[in-house]
Each structure stands twice: as C-alpha cells, then as structure tokens.
Amino acid sequence: MATHSQVLRSCLHRLTASGHINRKCLRSGEIVGLTCSRSLSMTHSCQAKEFAFEMACSNIRYGEGVTKEVGLDCKNLGGKNVCVMTDPHLVKLPPVKATLESLDKYGVNYKLYDKIRVEPSNHSLKEAIDFCLANKFDVFVAVGGGSVMDTCKAANLYSSKPDAEFLDYVNAPIGKGLPVKHALKPLIAIATTAGTGSETTGTAVFDFKEMKAKTGISNRSLRPTLGILDPLHLLTMPERVAAYSGIDVLCHAIESYTAMPYYERQGQEDPSLRPAYQGNNPISDIWSLHALRVTAKYIKRAVKNNEDLEARSAMLLASSFAGIGFGNAGVHLCHGMSYPISGLVKNYKSKDYSDDHPLVPHGLSVVITAPAVFEFTAPACPERHLQAAEALGVDVRNVKKADAGKVLREVLLKIMKDIECPDGIESLGYTKDDIPALVKGTLPQHRVTKLSPRPAGAEELTEILTKSLRNY
C-alpha cells in the first residue's frame, strides 16, 4: 500500500509536470516560491487521489470431478427453481451432462437455457434476461467459458431488478454506470475453458451492436458466489479455444501488473463507488505474476495436446490466478482495443469456434496488439515490464530499462508464434484504412483505457494499431 510519503511524492511530481514546482527544487527537497494557493491546491490534489484498494474474489473450488457436488450446492443455497445456462455446443458435451446429472441426483428443480451466443451481444443478453424474468429463478448455474458466465451474470443482475433499464448498469460513458444497490441471486460458475477467469470477477463483457464495439458491466455484486474448477472439463476444449483462451490469461496478467497504481486513480467519497478495476496493488501483483509463471510453463503443452491433463489443469488454475489479479487491478490498452477489433469484425472466422457468424475470439483480439502495447507503455514503468518478462522466463539481469518494451515484445511474439496466433490485425481482415474506426471504438472504453500507465489518445492508439497490422 502507498505510504504517505509515496502519495506526497506522487503529488509533487504531478505539480512538477504542470510547471508549478521547479524540478531542481524537487530534487533538492526544497519547494521554493510555492504560493499559499498552490500549497492548498497540492493538498486538495493529494486528497482527491485514491488512498485505498479493496480485495474481492469469488469462492473457488478446484478438483477433478468436483462438478458432481453442484446439485448439493444448489440445494444448500435453497434453490427451488434453478436456471442452468450454457451454449448450443456445450449442451451436448460432458460438462453440462455432469452438471445436470448432479442436479437430478439431488432432486433440484431446474430449467436449461442453451441459447447463449459465443461473444455475446446486447441482443443476446436481452434474450437471456427475458427468459429469466419470465421464470423468476432463485439460483443460477453457468456452465461454459466467459461468454456463458458473462451472460449469466447479466441475466442475474437484470432479472433481480425487473424495472431496471439496460443501460443503467453498462459502463460509462456508453451507459450510465450506476452502482448496483439491489441483491442478486446466488450464481455458481462452472468453467469449461482456461482463460477468461470470469468465475472470479464482477465483470460481464458484450458486443454493443449499435456501436459496433464491445463494452461491459463491472461491479463487485456480479461476482459468482462460487467458481467451480473441474480440470476434467478441459479435455473437451478444442485446440484453438485452448490457444486463444490461454493467451488471454497472459494479457490479463501483464495488463493488471502494468496498470496504473491504485493510488494514482481518482478517489471516491463513497467507498461503494470505488470501481472493481482499481489499478495495480500489492495483492493483485502476487496473483498476476504467478499466473505469468504458470502460463509460460504450460500454455504450449495445453494447446498442443488436449489429453495433457497436467498442463490443462495448470492453465485452469492460471486463469483463476489472473482473474483474481485483473479482477481487482483491471486491464488497460490491449483490452480497450480488443473491443472494436471484435465489434467491427468483417468476415473473419476461426477454427473451433462457431461458424454461424464472423467472430474474432476474445483472447485473439486482445493479444494481437499486445506486443505494440507493451512496447508503448514500458517507458512509464520499465521495472514492471521487465519483471513481467522475467516471469515469462527471460533473463533480464543485464537488460537496460530503456529496452524493457523491446524485451517484453519479443517474448510475447515468441509465445504467439508457438501457439500459432495470426500475424497482426491484417490477418483478421483489417487494413490501414480501418484504423480510424478502431481508434474511435477504443476511445470510449474509459473503464480500461484510463488505467494505462501511459496516457493514450487518438494519436497514440493510431500508432499502436499501425504497428499491429503485422507483428512477425
């Protein structure tokens, strides 16, 4: 946690940058010629910045075959009318079968909703919400990856407050970003991919069709009551899903570790308004770095061999580790730019994903700009970028701070090549002419972009996207 002196130094450096204090005076420890009004301004500025952070996470249960307990969980929660949510592909596979068998075994009454869209939209969310409003469920069970879990979170949120307007809780400036004041129903999230970490977070992301960009809802109240991590479910995960969900773990971890420090963010008078994404902090740092170490060791094995239970189990845990990290610290530019990259998709389709509509898988849309992003952000906190590279296996003992961005870029490119990621946004169907639209779609993503350690406006985003046209 930031000490008083750290916060004071931060305030002094901000005043120096604005020209209020001479840099030489700051180095010598003397603040000469500072007027009374400026002293008051400095004090107010210090108070206006955040001084605290909060740790929030779902309960997590891990173990091979642990899904068999979900029926008892629902019964213990008093569930008399349970909603089970999944997607049209998973409904035919063992994870859903195991879930329903457990519910049946313990006599739990449930209804199955299997129409969830991979990479959900505001329209698909509303369909799920309407289903839940009509059935008045008292417990929710999500069986799937991030798309299923995020849809279930949104359905729980809005069906628990029938008079809410859809934009009430959507992140500002796209929506109103209102705080969640009402109680939600218990939600159990059973993960079937290793990447999103959505079983640990209070975030739900979706395509806002009218804007052709992704946005989301972010509030601690959305967190699942329980996240179930059953490694056996990952044995049915296709190769590309393993690749793109796995690489999302890596981006979650690096972005949260390099995000703006929590004490640099604007403070809130009411602690209930403190956002879920708070900036890097001592607790999130631990989870993020550990997720990087595990990902570096196991991602290639997990992608190449779906029968490698050790590797896939490790990636499942890494996903939750990173989820705890970014669920409290936040992400920044990779995710901010991923939203229009997904939302403006033209004709791109990926192997192993739904082929009924063009789709850029979320993890791919995030990592495709990562090499350029971290090269851009490195000058703001080179030590953290070097520590991230070290966690990924790079010997950084003799690396200069000035080269931190290049070093992290190179190790990212190697991992991307190892798991056969497409070469840049051109491979996803975009050209240089599309960059203005991608920038326009990124700029409103304040929830994440404002956490970048280095400010990025339209000019900087254009530079990053241009460098990302081709990565290799």
Side-chain angles (χ1 to χ4, degrees):
M1 184 175 293
T3 63
H4 176 75
S5 61
Q6 286 175 319
V7 175
L8 180 60
R9 282 199 301 272
S10 174
C11 294
L12 292 175
H13 279 294
R14 285 196 295 276
L15 287 171
T16 304
S18 65
H20 290 167
I21 299 176
N22 181 278
R23 286 188 180 274
K24 182 177 179 181
C25 294
L26 180 64
R27 285 195 299 269
S28 67
E30 300 174 1
I31 305 177
V32 180
L34 187 64
T35 67
C36 181
S37 64
R38 283 178 180 168
S39 297
L40 291 173
S41 173
M42 183 181 72
T43 302
H44 175 73
S45 175
C46 291
Q47 291 174 342
K49 291 296 180 182
E50 186 55 89
F51 71 97
F53 67 91
E54 296 186 21
M55 174 65 188
C57 176
S58 304
N59 291 331
I60 298 294
R61 183 184 299 155
Y62 172 91
E64 291 181 24
V66 74
T67 304
K68 66 185 178 184
E69 297 180 343
V70 72
L72 268 177
D73 290 321
C74 289
K75 196 170 183 178
N76 292 337
L77 289 167
K80 292 180 170 53
N81 187 26
V82 175
C83 177
V84 180
M85 289 196 160
T86 191
D87 66 43
H89 175 68
L90 276 167
V91 73
K92 306 168 188 174
L93 297 177
V96 173
K97 181 182 178 183
T99 300
L100 300 185
E101 285 178 349
S102 181
L103 294 172
D104 288 333
K105 178 179 178 180
Y106 293 103
V108 177
N109 182 58
Y110 64 87
K111 287 186 179 177
L112 178 65
Y113 184 83
D114 61 359
K115 299 177 181 177
I116 290 179
R117 185 182 190 268
V118 177
E119 304 295 340
S121 68
N122 53 317
H123 301 303
S124 71
L125 288 189
K126 287 178 181 178
E127 290 175 3
I129 293 165
D130 288 343
F131 175 78
C132 295
L133 284 169
N135 287 281
K136 296 181 171 54
F137 296 111
D138 52 15
V139 174
F140 290 82
V141 177
V143 188
S147 296
V148 173
M149 290 188 242
D150 288 3
T151 299
C152 199
K153 290 176 188 177
N156 187 10
L157 172 68
Y158 288 100
S159 65
S160 299
K161 196 175 191 306
D163 61 341
E165 297 291 332
F166 184 72
L167 287 177
D168 283 353
Y169 302 113
V170 174
N171 297 318
I174 294 171
K176 297 177 183 178
L178 297 180
V180 178
K181 299 290 189 179
H182 64 280
L184 276 64
K185 304 297 190 296
L187 190 161
I188 299 172
I190 303 174
T192 62
T193 64
T196 67
S198 191
E199 69 278 359
T200 73
T201 75
T203 297
V205 177
F206 62 92
D207 285 321
F208 199 105
K209 286 297 185 182
E210 288 72 17
M211 290 189 64
K212 294 185 177 180
K214 278 186 182 283
T215 183
I217 305 163
S218 188
N219 189 282
R220 291 183 184 87
S221 299
L222 271 67
R223 290 194 326 275
T225 310
L226 172 65
I228 290 181
L229 304 180
D230 187 337
L232 298 180
H233 295 338
L234 299 193
L235 299 180
T236 59
M237 185 170 57
E239 188 238 25
R240 284 297 88 192
V241 177
Y244 299 145
S245 60
I247 205 73
D248 197 22
V249 175
L250 185 147
C251 289
H252 284 154
I254 303 179
E255 286 177 78
S256 58
Y257 192 69
T258 60
M260 172 192 293
Y262 76 92
Y263 52 81
E264 286 289 340
R265 191 177 45 73
Q266 191 67 32
Q268 299 286 347
E269 291 184 8
D270 183 344
S272 71
L273 299 178
R274 187 170 284 132
Y277 286 4
Q278 304 163 89
N280 81 60
N281 59 77
I283 295 178
S284 65
D285 285 351
I286 294 169
W287 295 99
S288 299
L289 282 178
H290 188 56
L292 286 179
R293 295 185 187 103
V294 176
T295 301
K297 183 175 181 179
Y298 289 105
I299 187 170
K300 187 175 179 180
R301 282 174 51 186
V303 170
K304 298 298 182 183
N305 182 4
N306 68 341
E307 295 182 354
D308 189 337
L309 185 58
E310 180 189 12
R312 291 205 164 186
S313 298
M315 287 302 300
L316 182 59
L317 285 171
S319 175
S320 277
F321 298 156
I324 296 169
F326 91 85
N328 289 281
V331 287
H332 54 83
L333 296 182
C334 298
H335 274 75
M337 285 185 284
S338 80
Y339 298 151
I341 289 172
S342 292
L344 295 173
V345 61
K346 299 175 183 179
N347 301 306
Y348 185 81
K349 294 182 180 180
S350 173
K351 177 189 171 186
D352 296 334
Y353 283 81
S354 174
D355 60 2
D356 62 351
H357 58 273
L359 181 150
V360 179
H362 172 67
L364 175 57
S365 71
V366 171
V367 78
I368 207 77
T369 62
V373 163
F374 296 119
E375 191 169 24
F376 168 78
T377 56
C381 47
E383 296 90 348
R384 282 185 170 261
H385 286 69
L386 286 175
Q387 287 160 359
E390 184 176 40
L392 291 173
V394 179
D395 183 351
V396 299
R397 287 174 294 181
N398 297 316
V399 177
K400 297 177 181 177
K401 290 182 181 179
D403 294 327
K406 293 179 182 178
V407 169
L408 188 51
R409 174 189 173 89
E410 289 306 312
V411 69
L412 284 172
L413 288 174
K414 181 182 185 306
I415 294 171
M416 291 167 69
K417 285 181 180 178
D418 283 345
I419 63 170
E420 300 176 24
C421 284
D423 180 15
I425 61 174
E426 280 190 355
S427 298
L428 308 182
Y430 294 106
T431 68
K432 191 173 183 179
D433 293 339
D434 296 308
I435 289 178
L438 294 172
V439 170
K440 183 179 178 182
T442 303
L443 289 173
Q445 309 297 337
H446 294 175
R447 176 180 64 96
V448 292
T449 58
K450 295 299 184 182
L451 285 171
S452 172
R454 183 179 176 188
E459 183 178 343
E460 291 80 10
L461 294 173
T462 298
E463 177 185 347
I464 292 169
L465 286 162
T466 300
K467 287 184 177 180
S468 302
L469 286 167
R470 290 286 178 187
N471 284 321
Y472 306 138

